Amino acid sequence: MPRPRPSVLVAGLATALLGALVAPPAGAQPVAPSTSSTTVDVAARSSAAKATLAPRTHFTMKPDGSSGRTQGGEGIPNVDSVKKTIATYYGDPGTGIASKTTSPYISEMRSIVRAQDASLQKRYDQAKRRHEKPALVFDTDDTTLFTYDMEVSAMHFTFDPAIQQQWIDDQRFAATPAMVDYVNRAAKIGYRIIGLTGRSASQEELTLANLRKVGYTAFTADDFYTKWQGTKPSYIRCVDVKACTTVEYKAGTRRYLERKKGLTIVANYGDQWSDLQGGYADHTVKLPNPTYYLPSANLPGVKEKKLAPRTHFTMAPDGSSGQYVGGEGIPNVDSVKKTIAVYYGDPGIGIASKTRSPYISELTKIADQQRRALKARYRAAVARGEKPALVFDSDDTTLFTYDMEVHDMHFTFDPVLQDEWVQDQRFPATPAMVSYVKAAQKAGFTIFGLTGRNDGQKAATIANLAKVGYPADAFVADRFFTKPKSGQPYPAWVSGCVGGSTCTTIEYKSKTRAHIEDDLGYTVVATFGDQYSDLLGGYADRAVKLPNPTYYLP
C-alpha cells in the first residue's frame, strides 16, 4: 500500500490563492441559481418572459457522465457554452489558439507556481536533513508542454492520435506557462527532475527535444519515463496484465523510484487526476485543464477523496465565467460529452438511441404535458375570436440532429455536412413530436414551421418532415418559413433589424411570428424550440423550450 502523504494542492482549490479568479470581476452581476425544472414553458407575452427564457447557470455533473441519467437536458452544461468558457479562460479569441501572454489560465498557473516556489527550498532542505534524495515528478502534456492549440485548433476537442504524432514529430508544443523557470529553478536547488508521461516510448526522444527547445534544462533520458511498447517493466503491477491503467503505470513508477531508486518524491505534478492518484509523493499538485479528461481507476483498496474532480459548477452561457471561475471550476469538456451521451442513450459511437433514453423520456413527458392542454387552449382562443396556431422550429424540435452533430461532426458544426444531411432527408423525427403535432392538428390548430435553415433547404426539410411521419398537410410551403441564403434579402416583414441587412435569430423569428399574427391573422398559442433564441421576442402566448445540450445558438 502507498505510504500516507501530507498534502494535496488542487488547482481548483488553488483558486483560494487567486482572489481575482474566485469572484466575478468588479461590477459583474452575480449569477442567480436557476430552478431545477428541466422544462421551460412560460407565458411568452409576459414581462417576465425574457428573464425566464434564459439558460441554466448552475450545474451538478459527475465526471463519469452518469449525471446524464438524472439532470435533464437543461441541467447538462451546454457543450458550446463550455467551449466558449474554455476559450475565455485560455485567452483564445475564437481561433483555437491560446494567448501566450495574458489569460486567466496564465494567471492561475503563475499563482500556483508562486505558491509552490515559496516552499521549494524549504522542502528540499527538510528532505536533505532526513538524509533523503529529493525529487520532483512532472507529467508532460499540459504540465510541462502546452497542448491547447493542438487540442482546439487542430483537433476541435476530439483527440486524433495521427495529429498528435505530427505535433510531437515537429516539436510544436509551447511550454506550459510558468513551468520552465520553476522546473529549472528546482533543478538548480538540487532536486532530481523526473518526467513521467503517458506518451509512448517511441515518442520519448522527440518529447525530450521539445522540452529542451522551449527552455527546460533538467529532463534527461535516464530520468524520463514513457509508456512501454511491448513487454511492461517488471516493477509495474497491474490487475489486468494486458491493460494497465494510468494509475497503475504512474503510481507503480513512483513506487519504483522511491523503493528501488532511493528517491523521495517531494511533489508530483499533473493536469489529470490519474497523474496523481495512487500515492508515492509527499505533495500532489493538480494543474488546471478543462480541455480533456483521462480517468483511471485508483489502485485496489486506495481511496483519495481529495483527488477527484469538481461536481458543482457555475457557468454563464456566453463564456464569461472563464474569466473568474478557475480551471477546475469549468465543466471538463470530455465529461460534458460523456454526460450528453448518457442522456441521449449513446453507447459511445455518436448514435443516439431511438427507443429508450433519458432524453426520450423527457421529450415524451413534455409532449404529454402539452397535449393535455391542447383542447382547452384551442377552445379558449376560438372563444376570443382568434385563429389558433402553433409554431415549430425544425432542428431538435421536429427533426432530430444528434447523430449528425455527434457521429459526423463531433460537436463541431460543418455547414457542408449539414447540407448533405438536409438534402438527403436523413434526420429522424424528434422523439414524441410527430404524435404531438398530429394531436394539435386534430384539435384544430394551424401548424407553422419556422426554422433557421435557408431557402435552399426548404423543400428537402418539408419532405423530411413528411418522410418521418408528420402529416403532409401540417408543414406546407406557404406556412413554412426559412431564412434567405447568404447575401439575399429578408422578406418585407423582417425589417428594421439592428444590424441592417443582417438580422439576429431572435429578430428573424420574432418578426416572422409577428407576421403570422399581424399580417396573416393568427394567434400563436405556443411556439416550440430547442434554443432560447427560437423563443425570445414575443408574439406567442406561450414558449416551450425543448432540451438540447449539444449546441447553443444565442
Side-chain angles (χ1 to χ4, degrees):
M1 294 288 290
R3 59 187 171 89
R5 298 305 207 185
S7 76
V8 176
L9 176 67
V10 179
L13 298 178
T15 53
L17 306 168
L18 308 172
L21 289 177
V22 174
Q29 295 297 313
V31 183
S34 300
T35 65
S36 59
S37 172
T38 57
T39 305
V40 178
D41 176 0
V42 302
R45 299 182 204 273
S46 70
S47 59
K50 185 175 181 180
T52 306
L53 288 172
R56 286 269 294 272
T57 55
H58 285 64
F59 304 92
T60 297
M61 184 186 73
K62 295 180 179 178
D64 63 358
S66 60
S67 299
R69 292 193 288 267
T70 60
Q71 292 301 304
E74 294 299 314
I76 299 172
N78 187 286
V79 71
D80 277 354
S81 292
V82 171
K83 290 179 180 179
K84 181 63 175 174
T85 304
I86 290 171
T88 299
Y89 176 60
Y90 284 94
D92 171 3
T95 60
I97 304 298
S99 173
K100 307 304 183 295
T101 56
T102 179
S103 70
Y105 171 68
I106 291 172
S107 297
E108 186 168 16
M109 285 297 303
R110 287 173 176 168
S111 294
I112 293 167
V113 168
R114 279 196 300 269
Q116 291 296 302
D117 207 24
S119 59
L120 196 60
Q121 183 70 56
K122 179 181 177 181
R123 289 173 178 174
Y124 178 83
D125 294 341
Q126 289 172 340
K128 294 300 286 185
R129 283 196 293 271
R130 295 190 297 265
H131 306 290
E132 297 171 346
K133 294 190 287 185
L136 302 179
V137 173
F138 296 89
D139 170 56
T140 298
D141 292 307
D142 297 292
T143 299
T144 52
L145 294 177
F146 187 31
T147 75
Y148 181 91
D149 297 353
M150 178 192 73
E151 292 286 343
V152 184
S153 179
M155 296 184 185
H156 308 290
F157 291 104
T158 301
F159 183 72
D160 184 327
I163 292 176
Q164 187 216 33
Q165 187 62 54
Q166 291 172 5
W167 277 65
I168 291 173
D169 290 344
D170 296 341
Q171 302 169 35
R172 294 178 61 182
F173 298 100
T176 302
M179 291 301 288
V180 170
D181 289 345
Y182 179 70
V183 173
N184 291 347
R185 194 159 49 249
K188 188 174 182 180
I189 287 172
Y191 284 98
R192 190 156 163 184
I193 303 301
I194 307 295
L196 178 54
T197 177
R199 293 188 180 187
S200 69
S202 64
Q203 297 170 329
E204 179 177 324
E205 183 177 347
L206 289 165
T207 300
L208 284 166
N210 198 156
L211 289 162
R212 290 190 296 270
K213 179 180 178 180
V214 298
Y216 293 98
T217 59
F219 290 106
T220 66
D222 288 342
D223 284 331
F224 200 82
Y225 294 82
T226 51
K227 289 197 79 171
W228 57 92
Q229 292 172 300
T231 305
K232 71 176 179 62
S234 59
Y235 56 81
I236 298 293
R237 305 170 187 172
C238 305
V239 174
D240 181 353
V241 296
K242 294 181 180 179
C244 294
T245 68
T246 298
V247 174
E248 287 173 330
Y249 155 55
K250 292 203 167 186
T253 302
R254 294 193 301 271
R255 179 179 58 234
Y256 166 74
L257 290 169
E258 291 205 320
R259 293 188 176 179
K260 300 298 184 182
K261 293 289 189 178
L263 303 179
T264 293
I265 298 173
V266 174
N268 178 31
Y269 299 79
D271 68 294
Q272 299 293 311
W273 300 101
S274 53
D275 295 333
L276 309 175
Q277 294 168 322
Y280 302 104
D282 290 344
H283 304 278
T284 302
V285 184
K286 171 69 169 64
L287 304 184
N289 182 5
T291 68
Y292 55 89
Y293 177 57
L294 304 174
S296 173
N298 209 330
L299 299 181
V302 176
K303 295 182 179 180
E304 297 167 302
K305 291 183 179 180
K306 292 184 178 180
L307 293 178
R310 286 266 295 271
T311 57
H312 291 81
F313 304 92
T314 297
M315 183 186 72
D318 63 357
S320 59
S321 301
Q323 295 169 358
Y324 56 84
V325 296
E328 293 299 317
I330 299 172
N332 188 287
V333 71
D334 278 354
S335 292
V336 171
K337 290 179 181 179
K338 180 63 175 174
T339 304
I340 290 171
V342 170
Y343 176 60
Y344 283 94
D346 171 4
I349 58 175
I351 303 295
S353 174
K354 307 304 183 296
T355 56
R356 184 178 181 183
S357 69
Y359 172 69
I360 292 172
S361 297
E362 186 168 16
L363 262 293
T364 300
K365 181 179 178 181
I366 293 169
D368 287 347
Q369 290 172 340
Q370 295 299 312
R371 187 181 292 107
R372 287 194 291 270
L374 275 173
K375 291 181 180 179
R377 290 175 180 170
Y378 177 81
R379 286 195 295 265
V382 170
R384 294 190 297 267
E386 299 168 350
K387 294 163 57 180
L390 300 179
V391 173
F392 295 87
D393 171 55
S394 292
D395 292 308
D396 297 293
T397 300
T398 51
L399 295 174
F400 187 28
T401 76
Y402 181 92
D403 296 354
M404 177 192 74
E405 292 285 344
V406 184
H407 182 271
D408 280 18
M409 296 184 184
H410 307 289
F411 293 103
T412 301
F413 184 73
D414 182 331
V416 175
L417 277 176
Q418 189 253 9
D419 193 60
E420 290 177 7
W421 275 68
V422 171
Q423 302 303 338
D424 293 344
Q425 304 170 31
R426 293 176 60 184
F427 298 99
T430 303
M433 292 305 290
V434 169
S435 61
Y436 177 72
V437 170
K438 287 180 177 178
Q441 191 180 44
K442 184 177 180 181
F445 284 94
T446 300
I447 306 300
F448 285 87
L450 175 55
T451 176
R453 295 185 180 187
N454 65 54
D455 291 343
Q457 299 174 324
K458 180 173 181 175
T461 301
I462 292 172
N464 196 158
L465 289 161
K467 178 180 177 180
V468 297
Y470 291 97
D473 58 347
F475 293 106
V476 295
D478 62 349
R479 297 198 306 272
F480 199 86
F481 298 95
T482 49
K483 292 181 75 172
K485 286 185 173 182
S486 178
Q488 297 300 309
Y490 280 90
W493 63 81
V494 182
S495 61
C497 295
V498 173
S501 60
T502 302
C503 297
T504 67
T505 298
I506 293 172
E507 288 173 327
Y508 154 61
K509 291 204 168 187
S510 63
K511 289 176 182 292
T512 301
R513 291 195 300 271
H515 168 66
I516 292 169
E517 292 203 320
D518 298 343
D519 300 331
L520 301 184
Y522 290 90
T523 294
V524 178
V525 173
T527 183
F528 295 76
D530 67 294
Q531 300 293 311
Y532 288 97
S533 54
D534 294 333
L535 310 175
L536 287 163
Y539 299 99
D541 291 346
R542 306 197 71 78
V544 182
K545 171 68 170 62
L546 305 185
N548 182 6
T550 67
Y551 56 89
Y552 177 58
L553 304 174

